[in-house]
PDB file of all heavy atoms in Angstrom:
ATOM      1  N   GLY A 475     110.211  97.130 100.195  1.00  0.00           N
ATOM      2  CA  GLY A 475     109.166  96.153 100.360  1.00  0.00           C
ATOM      3  C   GLY A 475     109.334  95.393 101.643  1.00  0.00           C
ATOM      4  O   GLY A 475     108.375  94.723 102.086  1.00  0.00           O
ATOM      5  N   GLY A 476     110.419  95.613 102.354  1.00  0.00           N
ATOM      6  CA  GLY A 476     110.710  94.886 103.633  1.00  0.00           C
ATOM      7  C   GLY A 476     109.986  95.577 104.804  1.00  0.00           C
ATOM      8  O   GLY A 476     109.335  96.617 104.657  1.00  0.00           O
ATOM      9  N   SER A 477     110.294  95.012 105.978  1.00  0.00           N
ATOM     10  CA  SER A 477     109.714  95.586 107.244  1.00  0.00           C
ATOM     11  C   SER A 477     110.755  95.791 108.276  1.00  0.00           C
ATOM     12  O   SER A 477     111.744  95.077 108.275  1.00  0.00           O
ATOM     13  CB  SER A 477     108.623  94.610 107.740  1.00  0.00           C
ATOM     14  OG  SER A 477     107.597  94.438 106.866  1.00  0.00           O
ATOM     15  N   LEU A 478     110.464  96.696 109.164  1.00  0.00           N
ATOM     16  CA  LEU A 478     111.319  96.999 110.303  1.00  0.00           C
ATOM     17  C   LEU A 478     110.400  97.387 111.440  1.00  0.00           C
ATOM     18  O   LEU A 478     109.315  97.980 111.171  1.00  0.00           O
ATOM     19  CB  LEU A 478     112.328  98.083 110.085  1.00  0.00           C
ATOM     20  CG  LEU A 478     113.604  97.793 109.367  1.00  0.00           C
ATOM     21  CD1 LEU A 478     114.424  99.025 109.123  1.00  0.00           C
ATOM     22  CD2 LEU A 478     114.441  96.727 110.081  1.00  0.00           C
ATOM     23  N   GLN A 479     110.818  97.081 112.666  1.00  0.00           N
ATOM     24  CA  GLN A 479     109.993  97.566 113.839  1.00  0.00           C
ATOM     25  C   GLN A 479     110.990  98.441 114.651  1.00  0.00           C
ATOM     26  O   GLN A 479     112.065  97.985 115.111  1.00  0.00           O
ATOM     27  CB  GLN A 479     109.455  96.402 114.630  1.00  0.00           C
ATOM     28  CG  GLN A 479     108.598  96.838 115.751  1.00  0.00           C
ATOM     29  CD  GLN A 479     108.008  95.674 116.522  1.00  0.00           C
ATOM     30  OE1 GLN A 479     108.687  95.081 117.411  1.00  0.00           O
ATOM     31  NE2 GLN A 479     106.789  95.324 116.203  1.00  0.00           N
ATOM     32  N   LEU A 480     110.494  99.630 114.999  1.00  0.00           N
ATOM     33  CA  LEU A 480     111.222 100.551 115.923  1.00  0.00           C
ATOM     34  C   LEU A 480     110.516 100.482 117.225  1.00  0.00           C
ATOM     35  O   LEU A 480     109.261 100.444 117.305  1.00  0.00           O
ATOM     36  CB  LEU A 480     111.221 101.942 115.371  1.00  0.00           C
ATOM     37  CG  LEU A 480     111.750 102.144 113.964  1.00  0.00           C
ATOM     38  CD1 LEU A 480     111.706 103.673 113.669  1.00  0.00           C
ATOM     39  CD2 LEU A 480     113.165 101.604 113.816  1.00  0.00           C
ATOM     40  N   SER A 481     111.290 100.498 118.304  1.00  0.00           N
ATOM     41  CA  SER A 481     110.792 100.601 119.651  1.00  0.00           C
ATOM     42  C   SER A 481     111.469 101.739 120.396  1.00  0.00           C
ATOM     43  O   SER A 481     112.554 102.194 120.050  1.00  0.00           O
ATOM     44  CB  SER A 481     111.085  99.245 120.385  1.00  0.00           C
ATOM     45  OG  SER A 481     110.562  98.149 119.747  1.00  0.00           O
ATOM     46  N   CYS A 482     110.712 102.209 121.401  1.00  0.00           N
ATOM     47  CA  CYS A 482     111.173 103.336 122.161  1.00  0.00           C
ATOM     48  C   CYS A 482     110.684 103.168 123.615  1.00  0.00           C
ATOM     49  O   CYS A 482     109.452 102.848 123.789  1.00  0.00           O
ATOM     50  CB  CYS A 482     110.654 104.635 121.596  1.00  0.00           C
ATOM     51  SG  CYS A 482     110.956 106.113 122.576  1.00  0.00           S
ATOM     52  N   VAL A 483     111.538 103.341 124.590  1.00  0.00           N
ATOM     53  CA  VAL A 483     111.127 103.234 125.956  1.00  0.00           C
ATOM     54  C   VAL A 483     111.536 104.550 126.649  1.00  0.00           C
ATOM     55  O   VAL A 483     112.645 105.083 126.495  1.00  0.00           O
ATOM     56  CB  VAL A 483     111.787 102.095 126.670  1.00  0.00           C
ATOM     57  CG1 VAL A 483     111.457 102.077 128.126  1.00  0.00           C
ATOM     58  CG2 VAL A 483     111.415 100.808 125.948  1.00  0.00           C
ATOM     59  N   VAL A 484     110.687 105.157 127.432  1.00  0.00           N
ATOM     60  CA  VAL A 484     110.836 106.376 128.201  1.00  0.00           C
ATOM     61  C   VAL A 484     111.093 105.946 129.688  1.00  0.00           C
ATOM     62  O   VAL A 484     110.174 105.256 130.255  1.00  0.00           O
ATOM     63  CB  VAL A 484     109.728 107.308 128.025  1.00  0.00           C
ATOM     64  CG1 VAL A 484     110.005 108.631 128.793  1.00  0.00           C
ATOM     65  CG2 VAL A 484     109.524 107.611 126.592  1.00  0.00           C
ATOM     66  N   SER A 485     112.096 106.479 130.314  1.00  0.00           N
ATOM     67  CA  SER A 485     112.307 106.208 131.656  1.00  0.00           C
ATOM     68  C   SER A 485     112.696 107.495 132.448  1.00  0.00           C
ATOM     69  O   SER A 485     112.995 108.535 131.838  1.00  0.00           O
ATOM     70  CB  SER A 485     113.427 105.173 131.916  1.00  0.00           C
ATOM     71  OG  SER A 485     114.674 105.718 131.328  1.00  0.00           O
ATOM     72  N   GLY A 486     112.603 107.467 133.754  1.00  0.00           N
ATOM     73  CA  GLY A 486     112.975 108.584 134.556  1.00  0.00           C
ATOM     74  C   GLY A 486     111.955 109.698 134.726  1.00  0.00           C
ATOM     75  O   GLY A 486     112.229 110.808 135.073  1.00  0.00           O
ATOM     76  N   ILE A 487     110.704 109.346 134.464  1.00  0.00           N
ATOM     77  CA  ILE A 487     109.626 110.321 134.575  1.00  0.00           C
ATOM     78  C   ILE A 487     108.388 109.646 135.145  1.00  0.00           C
ATOM     79  O   ILE A 487     108.054 108.498 134.809  1.00  0.00           O
ATOM     80  CB  ILE A 487     109.254 110.941 133.142  1.00  0.00           C
ATOM     81  CG1 ILE A 487     108.249 112.006 133.313  1.00  0.00           C
ATOM     82  CG2 ILE A 487     108.850 109.797 132.196  1.00  0.00           C
ATOM     83  CD1 ILE A 487     108.097 112.820 132.020  1.00  0.00           C
ATOM     84  N   ASP A 488     107.726 110.332 136.057  1.00  0.00           N
ATOM     85  CA  ASP A 488     106.513 109.839 136.700  1.00  0.00           C
ATOM     86  C   ASP A 488     105.228 110.370 136.049  1.00  0.00           C
ATOM     87  O   ASP A 488     104.220 109.706 136.170  1.00  0.00           O
ATOM     88  CB  ASP A 488     106.506 110.189 138.231  1.00  0.00           C
ATOM     89  CG  ASP A 488     107.569 109.479 139.048  1.00  0.00           C
ATOM     90  OD1 ASP A 488     107.920 108.392 138.634  1.00  0.00           O
ATOM     91  OD2 ASP A 488     108.119 110.006 139.995  1.00  0.00           O
ATOM     92  N   ALA A 489     105.371 111.413 135.360  1.00  0.00           N
ATOM     93  CA  ALA A 489     104.166 112.055 134.773  1.00  0.00           C
ATOM     94  C   ALA A 489     103.624 111.103 133.683  1.00  0.00           C
ATOM     95  O   ALA A 489     104.376 110.412 133.051  1.00  0.00           O
ATOM     96  CB  ALA A 489     104.539 113.397 134.201  1.00  0.00           C
ATOM     97  N   GLU A 490     102.337 111.275 133.487  1.00  0.00           N
ATOM     98  CA  GLU A 490     101.656 110.526 132.399  1.00  0.00           C
ATOM     99  C   GLU A 490     102.078 111.123 131.035  1.00  0.00           C
ATOM    100  O   GLU A 490     102.257 112.325 130.915  1.00  0.00           O
ATOM    101  CB  GLU A 490     100.141 110.689 132.526  1.00  0.00           C
ATOM    102  CG  GLU A 490      99.520 110.050 133.744  1.00  0.00           C
ATOM    103  CD  GLU A 490      99.684 108.602 133.855  1.00  0.00           C
ATOM    104  OE1 GLU A 490     100.032 107.901 132.752  1.00  0.00           O
ATOM    105  OE2 GLU A 490      99.475 107.984 134.931  1.00  0.00           O
ATOM    106  N   LEU A 491     102.265 110.191 130.088  1.00  0.00           N
ATOM    107  CA  LEU A 491     102.697 110.634 128.770  1.00  0.00           C
ATOM    108  C   LEU A 491     101.450 110.676 127.864  1.00  0.00           C
ATOM    109  O   LEU A 491     100.877 109.670 127.485  1.00  0.00           O
ATOM    110  CB  LEU A 491     103.733 109.606 128.228  1.00  0.00           C
ATOM    111  CG  LEU A 491     105.020 109.521 129.028  1.00  0.00           C
ATOM    112  CD1 LEU A 491     105.849 108.413 128.444  1.00  0.00           C
ATOM    113  CD2 LEU A 491     105.738 110.853 129.113  1.00  0.00           C
ATOM    114  N   TRP A 492     100.978 111.885 127.643  1.00  0.00           N
ATOM    115  CA  TRP A 492      99.751 112.084 126.858  1.00  0.00           C
ATOM    116  C   TRP A 492      99.953 111.591 125.438  1.00  0.00           C
ATOM    117  O   TRP A 492      99.117 110.940 124.886  1.00  0.00           O
ATOM    118  CB  TRP A 492      99.370 113.574 126.878  1.00  0.00           C
ATOM    119  CG  TRP A 492      98.211 113.948 125.994  1.00  0.00           C
ATOM    120  CD1 TRP A 492      98.208 114.826 125.011  1.00  0.00           C
ATOM    121  CD2 TRP A 492      96.832 113.403 126.049  1.00  0.00           C
ATOM    122  NE1 TRP A 492      96.973 114.933 124.363  1.00  0.00           N
ATOM    123  CE2 TRP A 492      96.173 113.991 125.066  1.00  0.00           C
ATOM    124  CE3 TRP A 492      96.310 112.444 126.816  1.00  0.00           C
ATOM    125  CZ2 TRP A 492      94.751 113.742 124.766  1.00  0.00           C
ATOM    126  CZ3 TRP A 492      94.970 112.107 126.565  1.00  0.00           C
ATOM    127  CH2 TRP A 492      94.216 112.760 125.589  1.00  0.00           C
ATOM    128  N   LEU A 493     101.033 111.973 124.827  1.00  0.00           N
ATOM    129  CA  LEU A 493     101.313 111.607 123.468  1.00  0.00           C
ATOM    130  C   LEU A 493     102.700 110.873 123.370  1.00  0.00           C
ATOM    131  O   LEU A 493     103.613 111.232 124.101  1.00  0.00           O
ATOM    132  CB  LEU A 493     101.379 112.814 122.569  1.00  0.00           C
ATOM    133  CG  LEU A 493     100.135 113.432 122.072  1.00  0.00           C
ATOM    134  CD1 LEU A 493     100.436 114.710 121.291  1.00  0.00           C
ATOM    135  CD2 LEU A 493      99.276 112.475 121.214  1.00  0.00           C
ATOM    136  N   MET A 494     102.753 109.885 122.561  1.00  0.00           N
ATOM    137  CA  MET A 494     104.000 109.274 122.215  1.00  0.00           C
ATOM    138  C   MET A 494     103.989 109.111 120.692  1.00  0.00           C
ATOM    139  O   MET A 494     103.007 108.881 120.075  1.00  0.00           O
ATOM    140  CB  MET A 494     104.204 107.918 122.876  1.00  0.00           C
ATOM    141  CG  MET A 494     104.253 107.994 124.390  1.00  0.00           C
ATOM    142  SD  MET A 494     104.609 106.425 125.209  1.00  0.00           S
ATOM    143  CE  MET A 494     106.442 106.394 124.907  1.00  0.00           C
ATOM    144  N   GLY A 495     105.140 109.295 120.046  1.00  0.00           N
ATOM    145  CA  GLY A 495     105.183 109.152 118.611  1.00  0.00           C
ATOM    146  C   GLY A 495     106.516 109.223 117.957  1.00  0.00           C
ATOM    147  O   GLY A 495     107.556 109.099 118.695  1.00  0.00           O
ATOM    148  N   TRP A 496     106.459 109.400 116.623  1.00  0.00           N
ATOM    149  CA  TRP A 496     107.745 109.342 115.867  1.00  0.00           C
ATOM    150  C   TRP A 496     107.750 110.444 114.825  1.00  0.00           C
ATOM    151  O   TRP A 496     106.739 110.787 114.230  1.00  0.00           O
ATOM    152  CB  TRP A 496     107.843 108.022 115.112  1.00  0.00           C
ATOM    153  CG  TRP A 496     107.889 106.816 116.030  1.00  0.00           C
ATOM    154  CD1 TRP A 496     106.853 106.127 116.626  1.00  0.00           C
ATOM    155  CD2 TRP A 496     109.045 106.262 116.564  1.00  0.00           C
ATOM    156  NE1 TRP A 496     107.349 105.153 117.430  1.00  0.00           N
ATOM    157  CE2 TRP A 496     108.684 105.160 117.384  1.00  0.00           C
ATOM    158  CE3 TRP A 496     110.477 106.399 116.376  1.00  0.00           C
ATOM    159  CZ2 TRP A 496     109.591 104.330 118.001  1.00  0.00           C
ATOM    160  CZ3 TRP A 496     111.374 105.612 116.982  1.00  0.00           C
ATOM    161  CH2 TRP A 496     110.913 104.565 117.859  1.00  0.00           C
ATOM    162  N   TYR A 497     108.954 111.017 114.740  1.00  0.00           N
ATOM    163  CA  TYR A 497     109.255 111.866 113.603  1.00  0.00           C
ATOM    164  C   TYR A 497     110.424 111.304 112.862  1.00  0.00           C
ATOM    165  O   TYR A 497     111.106 110.378 113.319  1.00  0.00           O
ATOM    166  CB  TYR A 497     109.660 113.292 114.161  1.00  0.00           C
ATOM    167  CG  TYR A 497     108.519 114.242 114.441  1.00  0.00           C
ATOM    168  CD1 TYR A 497     107.610 113.958 115.483  1.00  0.00           C
ATOM    169  CD2 TYR A 497     108.348 115.420 113.814  1.00  0.00           C
ATOM    170  CE1 TYR A 497     106.611 114.790 115.777  1.00  0.00           C
ATOM    171  CE2 TYR A 497     107.293 116.245 114.092  1.00  0.00           C
ATOM    172  CZ  TYR A 497     106.428 115.947 115.104  1.00  0.00           C
ATOM    173  OH  TYR A 497     105.400 116.802 115.367  1.00  0.00           O
ATOM    174  N   ARG A 498     110.715 111.849 111.720  1.00  0.00           N
ATOM    175  CA  ARG A 498     111.882 111.490 110.946  1.00  0.00           C
ATOM    176  C   ARG A 498     112.523 112.605 110.237  1.00  0.00           C
ATOM    177  O   ARG A 498     111.842 113.613 109.936  1.00  0.00           O
ATOM    178  CB  ARG A 498     111.569 110.279 109.969  1.00  0.00           C
ATOM    179  CG  ARG A 498     110.750 110.741 108.743  1.00  0.00           C
ATOM    180  CD  ARG A 498     110.409 109.544 107.858  1.00  0.00           C
ATOM    181  NE  ARG A 498     109.615 109.906 106.734  1.00  0.00           N
ATOM    182  CZ  ARG A 498     108.953 109.069 105.960  1.00  0.00           C
ATOM    183  NH1 ARG A 498     109.019 107.767 106.247  1.00  0.00           N
ATOM    184  NH2 ARG A 498     108.311 109.469 104.854  1.00  0.00           N
ATOM    185  N   GLN A 499     113.759 112.493 109.968  1.00  0.00           N
ATOM    186  CA  GLN A 499     114.513 113.514 109.212  1.00  0.00           C
ATOM    187  C   GLN A 499     115.541 112.891 108.234  1.00  0.00           C
ATOM    188  O   GLN A 499     116.413 112.095 108.587  1.00  0.00           O
ATOM    189  CB  GLN A 499     115.277 114.433 110.233  1.00  0.00           C
ATOM    190  CG  GLN A 499     115.973 115.615 109.554  1.00  0.00           C
ATOM    191  CD  GLN A 499     116.416 116.568 110.563  1.00  0.00           C
ATOM    192  OE1 GLN A 499     116.608 116.335 111.757  1.00  0.00           O
ATOM    193  NE2 GLN A 499     116.681 117.845 110.128  1.00  0.00           N
ATOM    194  N   ALA A 500     115.234 113.178 106.991  1.00  0.00           N
ATOM    195  CA  ALA A 500     116.081 112.719 105.879  1.00  0.00           C
ATOM    196  C   ALA A 500     117.164 113.723 105.708  1.00  0.00           C
ATOM    197  O   ALA A 500     117.008 114.933 106.038  1.00  0.00           O
ATOM    198  CB  ALA A 500     115.312 112.448 104.596  1.00  0.00           C
ATOM    199  N   PRO A 501     118.274 113.370 105.117  1.00  0.00           N
ATOM    200  CA  PRO A 501     119.359 114.242 104.826  1.00  0.00           C
ATOM    201  C   PRO A 501     118.913 115.515 104.082  1.00  0.00           C
ATOM    202  O   PRO A 501     118.320 115.376 103.002  1.00  0.00           O
ATOM    203  CB  PRO A 501     120.448 113.474 104.054  1.00  0.00           C
ATOM    204  CG  PRO A 501     120.142 112.045 104.421  1.00  0.00           C
ATOM    205  CD  PRO A 501     118.655 112.003 104.660  1.00  0.00           C
ATOM    206  N   GLY A 502     119.253 116.640 104.554  1.00  0.00           N
ATOM    207  CA  GLY A 502     118.911 117.888 103.845  1.00  0.00           C
ATOM    208  C   GLY A 502     117.496 118.323 104.009  1.00  0.00           C
ATOM    209  O   GLY A 502     117.086 119.264 103.284  1.00  0.00           O
ATOM    210  N   GLN A 503     116.741 117.612 104.781  1.00  0.00           N
ATOM    211  CA  GLN A 503     115.324 117.950 104.920  1.00  0.00           C
ATOM    212  C   GLN A 503     114.933 118.222 106.324  1.00  0.00           C
ATOM    213  O   GLN A 503     115.731 117.953 107.257  1.00  0.00           O
ATOM    214  CB  GLN A 503     114.403 116.767 104.404  1.00  0.00           C
ATOM    215  CG  GLN A 503     114.656 116.460 102.917  1.00  0.00           C
ATOM    216  CD  GLN A 503     113.675 115.471 102.427  1.00  0.00           C
ATOM    217  OE1 GLN A 503     112.592 115.271 102.904  1.00  0.00           O
ATOM    218  NE2 GLN A 503     114.032 114.808 101.288  1.00  0.00           N
ATOM    219  N   ARG A 504     113.797 118.857 106.507  1.00  0.00           N
ATOM    220  CA  ARG A 504     113.356 119.158 107.863  1.00  0.00           C
ATOM    221  C   ARG A 504     112.747 117.896 108.524  1.00  0.00           C
ATOM    222  O   ARG A 504     112.318 116.967 107.887  1.00  0.00           O
ATOM    223  CB  ARG A 504     112.266 120.232 107.847  1.00  0.00           C
ATOM    224  CG  ARG A 504     112.669 121.533 107.278  1.00  0.00           C
ATOM    225  CD  ARG A 504     111.573 122.502 107.102  1.00  0.00           C
ATOM    226  NE  ARG A 504     111.162 122.908 108.432  1.00  0.00           N
ATOM    227  CZ  ARG A 504     110.179 123.820 108.661  1.00  0.00           C
ATOM    228  NH1 ARG A 504     109.540 124.389 107.628  1.00  0.00           N
ATOM    229  NH2 ARG A 504     109.792 124.167 109.897  1.00  0.00           N
ATOM    230  N   ARG A 505     112.793 117.908 109.817  1.00  0.00           N
ATOM    231  CA  ARG A 505     112.144 116.823 110.619  1.00  0.00           C
ATOM    232  C   ARG A 505     110.634 116.877 110.361  1.00  0.00           C
ATOM    233  O   ARG A 505     110.001 117.878 110.356  1.00  0.00           O
ATOM    234  CB  ARG A 505     112.444 116.927 112.094  1.00  0.00           C
ATOM    235  CG  ARG A 505     112.120 115.768 112.918  1.00  0.00           C
ATOM    236  CD  ARG A 505     112.555 115.916 114.386  1.00  0.00           C
ATOM    237  NE  ARG A 505     113.996 115.960 114.454  1.00  0.00           N
ATOM    238  CZ  ARG A 505     114.697 115.903 115.634  1.00  0.00           C
ATOM    239  NH1 ARG A 505     114.009 115.776 116.814  1.00  0.00           N
ATOM    240  NH2 ARG A 505     115.961 116.031 115.686  1.00  0.00           N
ATOM    241  N   GLU A 506     110.099 115.702 110.099  1.00  0.00           N
ATOM    242  CA  GLU A 506     108.605 115.600 109.784  1.00  0.00           C
ATOM    243  C   GLU A 506     107.942 114.606 110.604  1.00  0.00           C
ATOM    244  O   GLU A 506     108.486 113.565 111.078  1.00  0.00           O
ATOM    245  CB  GLU A 506     108.462 115.266 108.299  1.00  0.00           C
ATOM    246  CG  GLU A 506     108.934 113.923 107.864  1.00  0.00           C
ATOM    247  CD  GLU A 506     108.667 113.530 106.453  1.00  0.00           C
ATOM    248  OE1 GLU A 506     107.988 114.347 105.782  1.00  0.00           O
ATOM    249  OE2 GLU A 506     109.013 112.448 106.016  1.00  0.00           O
ATOM    250  N   PHE A 507     106.698 114.848 110.925  1.00  0.00           N
ATOM    251  CA  PHE A 507     105.872 114.043 111.656  1.00  0.00           C
ATOM    252  C   PHE A 507     105.558 112.700 110.943  1.00  0.00           C
ATOM    253  O   PHE A 507     105.319 112.792 109.705  1.00  0.00           O
ATOM    254  CB  PHE A 507     104.548 114.831 111.997  1.00  0.00           C
ATOM    255  CG  PHE A 507     103.430 113.912 112.387  1.00  0.00           C
ATOM    256  CD1 PHE A 507     103.407 113.353 113.748  1.00  0.00           C
ATOM    257  CD2 PHE A 507     102.424 113.514 111.556  1.00  0.00           C
ATOM    258  CE1 PHE A 507     102.380 112.601 114.200  1.00  0.00           C
ATOM    259  CE2 PHE A 507     101.340 112.666 111.983  1.00  0.00           C
ATOM    260  CZ  PHE A 507     101.374 112.206 113.319  1.00  0.00           C
TER     261      PHE A 507
END
Side-chain angles (χ1 to χ4, degrees):
S477 298
L478 280 175
Q479 185 178 82
L480 304 182
S481 298
C482 171
V483 178
V484 181
S485 61
I487 185 168
D488 292 328
E490 297 294 347
L491 300 176
W492 174 237
L493 282 173
M494 299 185 78
W496 297 88
Y497 277 65
R498 71 186 180 192
Q499 187 167 19
Q503 297 188 23
R504 299 178 65 177
R505 191 175 297 190
E506 63 176 0
F507 164 77

